[in-house]
Amino acid sequence: KWHELAVGAAITEPGSARSYKTGTWRSSHPVWNGKECVRCGLCSIYCPEGCIAFGGPEDRPAADLNYCKGCGICAHECPTGCIRMEEE
């Protein structure tokens, strides 16, 4: 829970960030156009939360919305422009 975080929200133990589902912080989330996606993987490389993985329908990427903060970096870095940010 947010009130259990250390001052400055510092991660005090390796791997403890997975304990905090921060997806409720976002105002938008990524949506992929599967027809345009070439599965290059850049979205997962640039995602600062590491919440994008392949394995969705037709081996397309998908964001784990429990951890996605809606920053839009994936959409910005996508070379085909197949990711758009949709409001919650």
Side-chain angles (χ1 to χ4, degrees), residues 1-2 4 8 21 25 27 31 34 37 43 45 51-52 55 65 69 73-74 79-81 83 88:
K1 296 179 182 174
W2 70 268
E4 295 172 350
K21 294 186 177 181
W25 298 359
S27 60
V31 176
C37 179
C43 54
I45 291 169
C51 65
I52 300 174
L65 297 181
K69 291 188 178 83
I73 293 174
C74 56
T80 64
I83 305 171
E88 290 288 313

Side-chain angles (χ1 to χ4, degrees), residues 15-26:
S16 65
R18 296 299 283 175
S19 302
Y20 304 104
K21 294 186 177 181
T22 56
T24 57
W25 298 359
R26 72 177 176 276

Side-chain angles (χ1 to χ4, degrees), residues 27-52:
S27 60
S28 60
H29 64 275
V31 176
W32 279 260
N33 177 338
K35 293 179 181 177
E36 295 178 13
C37 179
V38 296
R39 297 182 303 278
C40 66
L42 288 177
C43 54
S44 63
I45 291 169
Y46 281 101
C47 177
E49 297 304 318
C51 65
I52 300 174

